């Protein structure tokens, strides 16, 4: 019953407008953990960048190329994409160490910049509220809710550990607090 409703709760067009300044005509982009691919599809229409979807399971519903992968090793050569996008992906990985493994691969396949939108609960109330929402939104799709959230400074520390330069951070308030991190490679 909820499966048809939940994708409509995510404002893909609004998110695409917010993210569009970071993508340019003719550039290549990867959307890792793309899900349905609706966000990448909207971004491609708006910006003219050429998107490839990557995910561990085929959920895509849009006419963009999808590459399935194991969640650890990205099956593309070094510096293949100009920009890589991960929206609400890292907190779904099985361990904090898995976040590091995936980010090393993201850095390897990206030439210019990485955009990460991630949950940043400012306190226990928001952590629990987000955890409940994660289960409601993701259970119908079989996406695990592992709750590996980090604070804003925790995400920045991880990105620094992975040798990214944090160029910009922007807070977004969707249903729950998230932050956009713009990282240079």
């Amino acid at each position: 019953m909820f499966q048809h409703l939940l994708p409509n709760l995510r404002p893909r067009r609004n998110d695409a407008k917010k993210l569009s300044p970071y993508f340019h005509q003719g550039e290549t982009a990867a959307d890792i953990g793309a899900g349905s691919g609706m966000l990448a599809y909207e971004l491609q229409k708006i910006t003219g960048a050429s998107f490839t979807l990557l995910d561990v399971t085929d959920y895509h519903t849009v006419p963009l190329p999808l590459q399935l992968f194991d969640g650890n090793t990205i099956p593309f050569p070094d510096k293949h994409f100009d920009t890589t996008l991960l929206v609400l992906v890292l907190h779904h990985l099985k361990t904090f160490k898995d976040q590091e493994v995936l980010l090393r691969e993201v850095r390897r396949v990206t030439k210019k910049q990485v955009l990460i939108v991630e949950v940043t609960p400012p306190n226990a109330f928001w952590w629990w509220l987000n955890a409940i929402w994660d289960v409601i939104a993701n259970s119908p799709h079989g996406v695990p809710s592992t709750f590996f959230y980090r604070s804003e400074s925790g995400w920045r520390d991880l990105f620094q550990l992975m040798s990214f330069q944090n160029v910009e951070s922007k807070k977004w308030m969707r249903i729950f607090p998230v932050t956009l991190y713009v990282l240079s490679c």
Side-chain angles (χ1 to χ4, degrees), residues 29-62:
D31 183 356
I32 297 178
S36 69
M38 289 187 288
L39 177 58
Y41 185 66
E42 288 295 324
L43 276 165
Q44 184 166 296
K45 287 191 309 188
I46 293 169
T47 67
S50 177
F51 276 83
T52 299
L53 310 176
L54 287 96
D55 214 321
V56 296
T57 305
D58 183 357
Y59 299 114
H60 88 293
T61 59
V62 297

Side-chain angles (χ1 to χ4, degrees), residues 30-35 52-55 69 71 74 81 84-89 102 105-106 109-110:
D31 183 356
I32 297 178
T52 299
L53 310 176
L54 287 96
D55 214 321
F69 79 117
I74 299 173
F81 299 103
T84 300
L85 175 66
L86 294 94
V87 176
L88 303 176
V89 171
L102 181 57
E105 277 293 284
V106 166
V109 301
T110 307

Side-chain angles (χ1 to χ4, degrees), residues 67-173:
Q67 175 66 55
L68 292 175
F69 79 117
D70 64 6
N72 293 315
T73 304
I74 299 173
F76 287 93
D78 294 358
K79 308 298 180 198
H80 186 77
F81 299 103
D82 292 304
T83 299
T84 300
L85 175 66
L86 294 94
V87 176
L88 303 176
V89 171
L90 295 173
H91 72 268
H92 285 285
L93 301 181
K94 292 178 184 170
T95 67
F96 286 121
K97 187 71 175 169
D98 288 339
Q99 293 173 348
E100 293 177 24
V101 169
L102 181 57
L103 284 173
R104 275 192 197 92
E105 277 293 284
V106 166
R107 185 165 173 64
R108 180 185 66 77
V109 301
T110 307
K111 289 181 207 172
K112 297 179 183 179
Q113 66 181 350
V114 176
L115 305 177
I116 296 176
V117 177
E118 213 21 277
V119 174
T120 51
N123 55 45
F125 169 79
W126 282 104
W127 191 98
W128 282 104
L129 189 62
N130 193 86
I132 292 165
W133 173 251
D134 246 356
V135 171
I136 292 168
N138 292 301
S139 293
H141 306 288
V143 176
S145 295
T146 57
F147 316 116
F148 283 108
Y149 314 124
R150 295 175 186 254
S151 65
E152 285 183 60
S153 62
W155 288 116
R156 281 194 302 273
D157 290 347
L158 174 63
F159 304 146
Q160 185 176 17
L161 177 69
M162 299 289 99
S163 300
F164 287 108
Q165 302 251 337
N166 189 7
V167 175
E168 182 181 347
S169 300
K170 288 184 178 182
K171 290 185 180 185
W172 286 2
M173 188 64 177

